[in-house]
Amino acid sequence: MHNVTRVGVIGSGQMGGGIAQIAAVAGFQTTVFDTKADAIARCQATHAKLLARAVEKERMTADEAESAKGRLTYVTDMDQLSDSDIAIEAVVEDSAVKAKVFSALDEMLTGDQILATNTSSISITEIAAATKTPQRVIGMHFFYPVPVMKLVEVINGLATDKKVTDRVISLAEAMGKVALPANDRAGFVSNRVLMPMINEAFYAWMEGVAEPEHIDGIMKLGCNFPMGPLRLADFIGLDTCAHIMDVLAEGLCNERYRPCPLLRQLVVAGRLGDKAGRGVFDSSK
Ligand code: NAD
């Protein structure tokens, strides 16, 4: 059993906003904290819009949406997270920033509260090392868009207590997700398996094995993927893909994980994918 009634979310961006939304919808008192007032305001407006849309599409009643909104509090002062039973961190993907946040959380929450991170590529063990209580630090890796994606990858750091893992799995299930455990190695399971496949698709393109649309078509129709690997790379961001390959190469001490030269070249050219209007494919039209 998770023993959680109050959820604190740190960072109100794409991921933190989504996590706060599903926590509130699932019945948890939820406080979202961001250092930036404009980010918090955007998050609140996004919640109002998405909950209204869910009512329109008859995925929830107007009363349910109102109660979920009533369970959400938006703050720019971290002290207001002090009554949280779990803190879920979703700030920028920067180990120095995360270390500061975890050190502050460790000092503020001095009981058996859980300290979770939604990092997609930083070592849980490294983040836990910024605290004096690494046994309660764990990875709670949600996927974008959070309200839609079913999975939470639950990642144990070197020191994570098994009771903490069990509580987080139970909590993720109470939020309507499927929680699957993994251990702390670079890329965890999701990126460890996905990113080398995407990288290999860039090699296949670079070596002239096939054109991008044919590589994607072959993987979609032949492997039953909903989206080809190169299209997916554009969606994720080519800079993010290259960065995660470097994380794998460093973390697994193995050069075979380095980004494909063509992937690196597109990144330096500014062809970062959908967010730039052009990556492998032109998405500006
Ligand atoms: P984002 O840039 O949309 O949001 C980050 C938010 O954190 C911003 O609003 C920023 O103001 C806030 N912030 C920065 N420093 C802060 C601090 N010290 N205290 C409080 N708030 C602070 O980023 P995102 O896409 O939501 O990613 C957040 C985390 O989730 C990252 O670790 C990322 O790797 C991970 N993640 C992202 C995805 C994705 O698809 N976007 C998927 C899984 C995991």
Side-chain angles (χ1 to χ4, degrees), residues 140-184:
M140 205 173 176
H141 187 198
F142 290 84
F143 290 76
Y144 180 76
V146 180
V148 176
M149 297 293 280
K150 270 287 176 201
L151 177 67
V152 178
E153 197 177 16
V154 175
I155 305 124
N156 297 305
L158 192 62
T160 309
D161 189 328
K162 163 105 179 45
K163 286 195 212 86
V164 171
T165 313
D166 293 343
R167 285 179 69 194
V168 164
I169 289 176
S170 156
L171 175 66
E173 286 170 353
M175 290 178 176
K177 300 299 181 194
V178 176
L180 297 174
N183 291 319
D184 185 27

Side-chain angles (χ1 to χ4, degrees), residues 10-16 33-36 39 42 78 89-94 97-98 101 117-121 141-144:
I10 301 102
S12 68
Q14 257 184 356
M15 296 304 289
F33 157 66
D34 202 292
T35 43
K36 293 199 179 128
R42 255 196 322 274
M78 188 157 153
E89 170 275 314
V91 307
V92 282
E93 189 74 345
D94 176 322
V97 177
K98 289 195 194 286
V101 168
T117 173
N118 182 52
T119 181
S120 36
S121 64
H141 187 198
F142 290 84
F143 290 76
Y144 180 76

Side-chain angles (χ1 to χ4, degrees), residues 1-262:
M1 191 48 203
H2 51 73
N3 283 326
V4 170
T5 40
R6 293 181 174 275
V7 173
V9 178
I10 301 102
S12 68
Q14 257 184 356
M15 296 304 289
I19 295 165
Q21 182 184 324
I22 62 154
V25 168
F28 296 96
Q29 287 298 330
T30 306
T31 304
V32 204
F33 157 66
D34 202 292
T35 43
K36 293 199 179 128
D38 59 334
I40 275 287
R42 255 196 322 274
C43 176
Q44 187 165 8
T46 304
H47 285 160
K49 194 176 79 190
L50 293 179
L51 290 170
R53 193 180 301 158
V55 173
E56 244 170 59
K57 299 226 158 139
E58 298 182 358
R59 287 196 296 262
M60 66 173 67
T61 65
D63 279 354
E64 285 165 346
E66 276 314 302
S67 320
K69 273 196 246 171
R71 285 188 285 272
L72 279 159
T73 310
Y74 303 88
V75 303
T76 50
D77 171 11
M78 188 157 153
D79 287 344
Q80 289 184 261
L81 298 181
S82 63
D83 62 357
S84 308
D85 302 308
I86 181 169
I88 307 177
E89 170 275 314
V91 307
V92 282
E93 189 74 345
D94 176 322
S95 19
V97 177
K98 289 195 194 286
K100 262 198 184 154
V101 168
F102 273 79
S103 162
L105 287 172
D106 196 31
E107 279 183 18
M108 182 174 68
L109 305 170
T110 53
D112 70 347
Q113 301 92 336
I114 297 168
L115 308 184
T117 173
N118 182 52
T119 181
S120 36
S121 64
I122 300 170
S123 154
I124 308 304
T125 308
E126 180 189 333
I127 293 172
T131 72
K132 296 188 183 74
T133 53
Q135 67 279 4
R136 63 177 175 148
V137 177
I138 191 161
M140 205 173 176
H141 187 198
F142 290 84
F143 290 76
Y144 180 76
V146 180
V148 176
M149 297 293 280
K150 270 287 176 201
L151 177 67
V152 178
E153 197 177 16
V154 175
I155 305 124
N156 297 305
L158 192 62
T160 309
D161 189 328
K162 163 105 179 45
K163 286 195 212 86
V164 171
T165 313
D166 293 343
R167 285 179 69 194
V168 164
I169 289 176
S170 156
L171 175 66
E173 286 170 353
M175 290 178 176
K177 300 299 181 194
V178 176
L180 297 174
N183 291 319
D184 185 27
R185 289 282 180 285
F188 318 134
V189 172
S190 47
N191 282 325
R192 169 85 177 257
V193 176
L194 174 66
M195 285 301 166
M197 184 196 69
I198 288 178
N199 203 41
E200 205 56 38
F202 280 93
Y203 273 110
W205 178 22
M206 185 178 80
E207 291 169 11
V209 179
E211 291 303 313
E213 51 274 32
H214 298 148
I215 294 171
D216 272 12
I218 287 165
M219 296 308 288
K220 268 168 71 176
L221 299 172
C223 302
N224 220 9
F225 288 173
M227 193 187 278
L230 295 171
R231 183 72 202 82
L232 182 57
D234 274 354
F235 177 73
I236 295 170
L238 267 51
D239 49 345
T240 303
C241 293
H243 171 72
I244 293 176
M245 288 309 292
D246 279 326
V247 168
L248 291 179
E250 299 294 332
L252 301 170
C253 304
N254 193 330
E255 290 302 305
R256 81 182 160 97
Y257 290 104
R258 288 288 177 205
C260 168
L262 178 56

